[in-house]
Amino acid sequence: MKTGSVLPRWDMSVVYAGLDSPEFERDFRAFVRALDALEGLFDEAQIDRTEQPLPPELAVPLFEHLVPAYNALQEQAWTLGAYIYSFVATDSRDEFAQARLSEMEKQSVRLAKLTTRLTAWAGTQDVDALIERAELARSHAYWLRRSQVAARHMMSPAEEALAAEMSLTGSHAWSKLYGNLTSQILVEVELRGERQTMPMSMVRNLAFDPDREVRRAGYEAELKAWEQYALPIASALNNIKGETNLLMHRRGWRSALEASLFRNAIDEVTLEAMFTAVYEAFPDFRRYLHVKARLLGIERCAWYDIFAPVGKEPRLWDYAEAVQFITEQFATYSDKLRAFAERAFREQWIDAEPRSGKRDGGFCMRLRRDESRILVNYKPAFGAVSTLAHELGHAYHNLCLAQRTYLQRQIPMTLAETASIFCETIVRQAALQQADREERLAILEAALQGMCQVVVDITSRFLFEKWVFERRQERELSARELCELMLEAQKETYGDGLDENLLHPYMWAAKPHYYGSAFYNYPYMFGLLFGLGLYALYQSDPQGFRARYDDLLSQTGMADAAGLAREFGFDIRTPAFWRGSLDVIRADIAQFEQLASTQVN
């Protein structure tokens, strides 16, 4: 494959021939019938929150009947939903796929209501008795313990059912509007004297161009486009955050953040410990940005310089080269990881081509059993190689979870990044070892770009969202006010590392995470630093690490983050652990400074 040749699209035909195929229609109808049956069973058995738990001799057989049926139905729903979404994610203009997604969402609301009822019922039973008397309950003990907490934070059954139904025309509808609208934005940009019209994803990719004028033109065109669409996007953000605030209050949480911490299986002490260490590291990241500015020959980086490549001729990485390199480096860890990567590439799990209508960014979604699908918007730079390795790490995590039930696979985001960061680090370290000084500078800088995003920028996103939730309790916020909050958060985190007059006030519009789950940001930072800690352990004891690692991944939905960390000798509730992980990044910054001083001289 040569640079500029056609990039792969994922193969979904192994599941169904198409959304209009008889096989898909058959399985969709079978799923709806199974959902009808499970609803009937829940109604007959009065599965919901109760003030009086059943005697163990009645609760145990009911639990052993309900949980397998529920897990099986969730498996059906997952594959159908992932299959449908694969069409929407790659072409939001596909009206038939959008219609099928809407049909699936209607059924998913019914399933969500059963999830709420099952959690409420299980959480109000005698959990200790269930665990003592039933092997199935023992294997789901972590979920049962969490259900006890969740049940205490539920509204009445009728209110929970109504909230689930209204989400389709509430937050979920606003989220869908955001996704559809932003994936179809076309931006006019003038590049080297030629006016062009591009999808927003391609315009944002101009931030990686080595020509500063191209980056500047892309940045200015992007801001102008976001300004044009700011009103509906601000409406979406206000309504999603407003609904979240209302529901969190009604469910007895002190804040959306408190609910998020529970969902992510950490506590406030852990979060504060991590941020304490992170704020201490901001001067190091600002030092990195100053060095980058010198390499670019400018006084200070603007926002559009954050992703600028350094070095005279940064290496271009063809997709085929990326495939070969990733596979080779995964083999240095284990034959299992290598064989897994070969399978993913061979079976066309990856959609890598940027195109109009395709959503921006990248993600990995489990499709069925041990099989996943990966979406990226590939560009021939090492950052894209790193992203591909990262998403393959998620898919490997799914492989390790394949034998777990649906309820055992409910991984908090804090642990969901464990395998992805580990795989990304394997590839980066190998690239650094094999590169000459010029390439090493570029690779190291690309890595620090990503780490700066995950530590510094994510802190700005966290602060912004926290402030929005606080202010949204009083009233809606205008697009101008959202821009002001975004700039304030960027100034507090980037400090003098960036030109404060050339920041990105519309990052709240550009980042889709704000339009899904609350605080879909700090878990990425947690994941990076947790993953770096695991990689350091792997380096110190490769054989011992390999013996335990896959099992750890398979248990990430069956224990909290602190418990799993203790198994590997970490205490994540103190700043010391996080400082140690950040020291790994500081070492990279020091190496970058050393290489840069030679380059400048």
Side-chain angles (χ1 to χ4, degrees):
M1 179 183 293
K2 296 181 179 179
T3 303
S5 60
V6 176
L7 292 166
R9 300 187 181 190
W10 52 30
D11 178 19
M12 304 302 297
S13 65
V14 295
V15 186
Y16 300 106
L19 284 171
D20 56 353
S21 67
E23 293 79 10
F24 176 84
E25 188 62 34
R26 176 201 65 207
D27 285 359
F28 188 86
R29 291 181 180 179
F31 161 67
V32 174
R33 288 195 299 271
L35 180 55
D36 291 339
L38 194 59
E39 277 184 336
L41 175 60
F42 272 47
D43 290 342
E44 180 182 353
Q46 298 181 323
I47 302 302
D48 220 319
R49 189 172 64 187
T50 178
E51 299 301 323
Q52 184 63 43
L54 290 173
E57 60 269 19
L58 297 179
V60 167
L62 186 53
F63 180 87
E64 292 178 327
H65 183 50
L66 288 172
V67 169
Y70 173 82
N71 280 329
L73 188 62
Q74 284 285 10
E75 288 294 326
Q76 290 178 272
W78 191 277
T79 298
L80 288 169
Y83 182 77
I84 296 169
Y85 187 66
S86 72
F87 291 89
V88 175
T90 51
D91 184 6
S92 63
R93 294 185 177 88
D94 187 335
E95 293 185 3
F96 184 67
Q98 292 281 12
R100 303 251 51 171
L101 180 62
S102 180
E103 292 177 69
M104 187 66 199
E105 288 168 345
K106 182 178 179 181
Q107 304 305 324
S108 296
V109 168
R110 297 174 60 198
L111 188 52
K113 289 160 68 175
L114 293 187
T115 299
T116 300
R117 291 173 63 180
L118 181 62
T119 303
W121 178 82
T124 50
Q125 297 304 306
D126 186 340
V127 167
D128 290 333
L130 278 174
I131 293 172
E132 180 184 348
R133 296 181 178 220
E135 175 58 35
L136 183 66
R138 282 192 290 278
S139 67
H140 289 79
Y142 179 64
W143 173 78
L144 280 166
R145 300 289 188 203
R146 285 179 61 81
S147 294
Q148 288 181 300
V149 179
R152 293 197 295 268
H153 288 281
M154 285 185 179
M155 300 180 290
S156 71
E159 288 173 317
E160 288 291 353
L162 181 60
E165 291 174 4
M166 292 192 69
S167 68
L168 278 182
T169 52
S171 58
H172 196 80
W174 285 108
S175 179
K176 189 196 297 189
L177 170 69
Y178 169 83
N180 292 338
L181 177 66
T182 56
S183 68
Q184 297 181 28
I185 293 176
L186 295 176
V187 183
E188 282 195 3
V189 56
E190 186 171 328
L191 300 175
R192 302 181 179 93
E194 180 183 350
R195 184 162 292 279
Q196 302 179 38
T197 300
M198 302 179 177
M200 179 62 83
S201 60
M202 292 181 67
V203 172
R204 287 179 58 76
N205 275 347
L206 294 176
F208 295 86
D209 196 280
D211 187 334
R212 194 174 196 229
E213 284 305 304
V214 170
R215 299 196 302 271
R216 180 193 58 76
Y219 163 82
E220 291 176 352
E222 181 193 347
L223 293 189
K224 184 176 180 181
W226 288 127
E227 184 178 10
Q228 291 174 340
Y229 290 91
L231 181 60
I233 297 175
S235 295
L237 188 64
N238 271 295
N239 285 297
I240 290 168
K241 300 310 180 191
E243 179 184 299
T244 300
N245 269 341
L246 175 62
L247 290 174
M248 293 306 100
H249 175 71
R250 294 297 297 269
R251 288 173 175 146
W253 296 104
R254 288 184 290 120
S255 66
L257 179 58
E258 183 186 35
S260 170
L261 291 171
F262 171 72
R263 186 171 63 248
N264 285 298
I266 65 172
D267 58 16
E268 193 170 352
V269 173
T270 300
L271 187 71
E272 289 179 356
M274 181 174 70
F275 273 121
T276 295
V278 162
Y279 269 82
E280 292 171 359
F282 282 166
D284 300 293
F285 284 99
R286 292 165 187 167
R287 197 171 72 251
Y288 147 71
L289 289 168
H290 292 318
V291 174
K292 178 165 185 171
R294 291 201 303 273
L295 287 172
L296 294 172
I298 57 179
E299 182 177 346
R300 185 156 299 172
C301 287
W303 187 273
Y304 52 82
D305 297 314
I306 290 176
F307 300 108
V310 300
K312 295 179 180 178
E313 294 183 2
R315 176 182 170 183
L316 297 179
W317 288 76
D318 289 347
Y319 183 79
E321 290 179 289
V323 169
Q324 180 179 353
F325 187 74
I326 288 171
T327 304
E328 290 174 351
Q329 303 319 314
F330 280 10
T332 65
Y333 175 74
S334 72
D335 289 338
K336 179 180 177 181
L337 186 59
R338 171 195 53 76
F340 161 77
E342 290 175 342
R343 177 189 174 195
F345 293 126
R346 182 179 65 250
E347 295 181 2
Q348 296 176 253
W349 290 8
I350 299 153
D351 194 298
E353 179 195 37
R355 56 191 182 273
S356 180
K358 180 180 176 181
R359 63 161 283 176
D360 197 8
F363 66 80
C364 173
M365 65 178 178
R366 179 176 174 272
L367 179 61
R368 56 181 182 174
R369 298 184 294 276
D370 61 352
E371 189 176 346
S372 299
R373 288 297 183 270
I374 291 168
L375 180 145
V376 293
N377 286 276
Y378 192 84
K379 49 194 171 293
F382 181 75
V385 181
S386 182
T387 297
L388 186 54
H390 180 102
E391 299 303 339
L392 282 164
H394 282 300
Y396 185 75
H397 199 160
N398 290 339
L399 176 75
C400 293
L401 287 162
Q403 302 307 313
R404 301 297 186 186
T405 70
Y406 175 82
L407 287 176
Q408 292 170 335
R409 286 200 312 269
Q410 300 312 292
I411 308 169
M413 275 187 61
T414 41
L415 297 175
E417 297 298 312
T418 303
S420 56
I421 295 298
F422 187 79
C423 285
E424 181 182 342
T425 305
I426 288 174
V427 168
R428 182 179 70 252
Q429 293 300 324
L432 285 170
Q433 290 174 9
Q434 296 182 17
D436 59 24
R437 190 192 59 78
E438 186 76 19
E439 288 177 332
R440 195 159 63 248
L441 182 70
I443 291 169
L444 198 56
E445 202 285 319
L448 289 171
Q449 275 183 28
M451 292 174 182
C452 187
Q453 286 294 291
V454 174
V455 177
V456 181
D457 200 69
I458 275 183
T459 304
S460 74
R461 297 181 221 168
F462 171 80
L463 290 174
F464 169 82
E465 189 166 13
K466 183 172 179 288
W467 295 339
V468 168
F469 270 123
E470 290 169 353
R471 288 159 175 76
R472 187 61 185 86
Q473 291 178 352
E474 304 299 325
R475 59 175 176 82
E476 292 184 1
L477 298 167
S478 68
R480 176 186 57 79
E481 290 173 309
L482 293 171
C483 287
E484 289 173 352
L485 287 179
M486 194 81 255
L487 290 174
E488 184 179 349
Q490 289 169 0
K491 290 175 183 177
E492 178 168 329
T493 50
Y494 283 99
D496 66 0
L498 295 179
D499 185 338
E500 67 173 16
N501 297 311
L502 291 169
L503 299 175
H504 197 312
Y506 286 100
M507 281 303 289
W508 58 269
K511 287 295 177 184
H513 296 161
Y514 291 125
Y515 304 85
S517 299
F519 292 104
Y520 197 97
N521 37 54
Y522 70 81
Y524 279 103
M525 185 195 308
F526 184 105
L528 170 68
L529 301 179
F530 189 76
L532 288 176
L534 286 177
Y535 186 80
L537 184 62
Y538 160 62
Q539 288 182 305
S540 65
D541 180 18
Q543 288 302 114
F545 182 88
R546 288 190 188 97
R548 293 185 291 166
Y549 181 57
D550 284 6
D551 188 51
L552 176 140
L553 293 178
S554 77
Q555 293 187 61
T556 44
M558 301 172 66
D560 63 22
L564 287 173
R566 279 194 298 272
E567 289 191 24
F568 275 76
F570 299 155
D571 182 1
I572 64 172
R573 301 180 82 245
T574 65
F577 164 73
W578 305 104
R579 288 176 183 135
S581 294
L582 286 159
D583 282 344
V584 177
I585 302 176
R586 289 186 181 96
D588 284 345
I589 293 173
Q591 185 182 358
F592 178 68
E593 286 180 300
Q594 182 180 13
L595 289 169
S597 64
T598 307
Q599 175 79 5
V600 171
N601 294 335

